[in-house]
């Protein structure tokens, strides 16, 4: 089926906006997406349908259309229901990248476009697979977690007699018929399989990755289908490939950090860390579905090795003992906020440790360090996050692939520092450390590092010199310069304590 057949379909009333000279392109399939960069889910030749939810500024059109062009799609059909138009920047981007653009009338649903185009496509794919994908495209927009997938898997089981499930790497069943196989056992097989797809010994299912080429297994979903894939005909193997692609789209939709839910969580975490006022934080708690009168635990996590920040965020959200927790990213660290009962703090750490332990076989050279705070009220979230981050740093210093440290393992001074207000922190650091930082910037004298090493070695000139690979007299000169710049005496215990605390607060 060629693009020029689309305007001739009276039930669709598609209008060519740009690309009239490219209408001999062939359509291989129809894909609906609202991802900003859907390239990895496209195979080439598709008619892409989009409601432009991904567009937050004009520059986004270039990113989106460039991804379509690189994937080799045949055309884009779009309509922005919110603005009632097709933005000019999208039209310009399509012209630049030679992507034909069609306008979808406001009263024509994308599901109708999908249904009509699929109906006119040649029989290159089996009718049952067409029905599955057609049904999915109509269900995926605006569905709750797993709902669209559930309908697709129900259809596969009813029409093809093949029961399939979609699971996470922890063994949680995302979608599928009742009486699912042992999720924990399947997850272990998925994490440890030397290659995928895989038919575990003694099992009556085969497992397939959802996004093997782009996602670490510990952050991925997988599809489990009844039977040994080695015995399947080519049509059934093709069907499981399509099911995995559908699951990848659903997973990306749910995990997309640009979603409203993800942006609210990210904003809340950043507000808490920046010590925003209560009248700013409380409305954000309510917007994310959290009770401002509840008690909370903060959790901080960082990955080691090959685990990327986005994957870390996914893993942390998956192992939390509450459904869909608030999780945000601060550079390479993921922060979660969990409403709990007052006595729930220790249980949170234990639950996370168990869940991460189940993922450990799939880390393959990577690792995860986690810190868990004490239980606090909503007005004390900043201190809880600091406490969790301190605990996470302690966990990062240990060698276990998975390490969870609770707040009660922290030194007393760390717990005290977690409660220090931001203005006091800033004043303390400026007074003691800013003169040294400015001197280091001008003279490259390394005074901050010398001070930290001196204190770590309890004021031993010899050990400090050995660790810094300096002569003792050079260390003495630097310490004297530190004292001159700050007016403090490092022979006094009080001044040593002040410097130690300032360094910990920085």
């Amino acid at each position: 089926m060629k693009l020029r057949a689309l305007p001739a379909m009276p039930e669709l009333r598609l209008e060519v906006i740009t690309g009239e000279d490219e209408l001999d392109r062939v359509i291989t399939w129809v894909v609906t997406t609202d991802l900003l960069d859907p390239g990895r889910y496209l195979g080439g030749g598709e008619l892409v349908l989009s409601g432009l939810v991904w567009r937050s500024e004009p520059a986004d059109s270039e990113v989106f259309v460039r991804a379509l062009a690189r994937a080799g799609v045949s055309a884009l059909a779009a309509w922005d229901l919110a603005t009632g138009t097709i933005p000019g920047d999208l039209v310009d981007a399509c012209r630049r990248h030679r992507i034909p653009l069609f306008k979808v009338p406001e009263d024509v649903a994308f599901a109708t476009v999908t249904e009509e185009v699929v109906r006119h496509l040649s029989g290159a794919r089996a009718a049952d697979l067409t029905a599955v994908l057609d049904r999915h495209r109509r269900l995926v927009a605006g569905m709750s977690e797993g709902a669209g997938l559930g309908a697709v898997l129900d259809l596969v089981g009813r029409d093809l007699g093949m029961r399939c499930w979609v699971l996470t790497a922890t063994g949680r069943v995302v979608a599928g018929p009742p009486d699912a196989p042992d999720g924990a056992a399947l997850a272990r097989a998925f994490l440890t399989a030397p290659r995928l797809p895989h038919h575990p010994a003694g099992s009556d299912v085969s497992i397939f990755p959802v996004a093997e080429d782009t996602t670490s297994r510990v952050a991925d979903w997988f599809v489990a289908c009844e039977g040994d894939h080695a015995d399947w005909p080519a049509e059934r193997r093709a069907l499981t490939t399509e099911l995995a692609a559908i699951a990848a789209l659903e997973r990306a939709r749910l995990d997309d950090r640009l979603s409203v839910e993800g942006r609210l969580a990210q904003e809340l975490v950043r507000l808490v860390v920046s010590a925003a006022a209560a009248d700013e934080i409380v409305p954000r708690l309510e917007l994310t579905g959290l009770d401002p009168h509840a008690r909370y635990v903060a959790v901080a996590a960082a990955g080691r090795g090959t685990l990327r920040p986005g994957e870390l965020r996914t893993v942390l959200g998956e192992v939390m003992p509450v459904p869909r927790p608030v999780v945000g990213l601060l550079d390479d660290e993921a922060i979660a906020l969990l409403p709990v009962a007052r006595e729930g703090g220790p249980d949170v750490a234990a639950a996370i440790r168990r869940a991460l332990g189940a993922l450990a076989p799939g880390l393959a050279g990577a690792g995860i360090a986690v810190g868990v705070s004490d239980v606090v009220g909503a007005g004390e979230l900043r201190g809880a996050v600091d406490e969790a981050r301190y605990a996470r740093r302690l966990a990062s210093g240990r060698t276990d692939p998975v390490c969870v440290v609770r707040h009660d393992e922290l030194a007393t001074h760390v717990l005290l520092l977690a409660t220090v207000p931001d203005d006091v922190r800033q004043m303390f650091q400026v007074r003691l450390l800013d003169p040294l930082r400015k001197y280091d910037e001008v003279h490259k004298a390394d005074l901050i590092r010398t001070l930290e090493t001196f204190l770590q070695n309890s004021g031993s000139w010899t050990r400090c010199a050995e660790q810094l690979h300096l002569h003792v007299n050079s260390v003495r000169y630097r310490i004297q310069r530190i004292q001159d710049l700050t007016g403090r005496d490092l022979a006094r215990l009080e001044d040593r304590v002040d410097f130690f605390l300032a360094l910990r607060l920085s």
Side-chain angles (χ1 to χ4, degrees), residues 169 215-221 251 255 307 310-312 314-315 359:
T215 307
S216 169
R217 285 193 193 180
V218 295
D220 201 3
W221 289 359
R251 175 185 169 278
D255 289 347
L307 201 63
E311 295 173 336
L312 174 69
T314 298
V315 170
L359 291 177

Side-chain angles (χ1 to χ4, degrees), residues 1 26-30 43-47 72 74 117 121-122 124-125:
M1 177 180 178
V26 174
I27 302 172
T28 60
W29 204 245
V30 186
E46 296 92 346
L47 171 64
S74 290
V117 173
L121 286 174
S122 64
R125 300 192 179 192

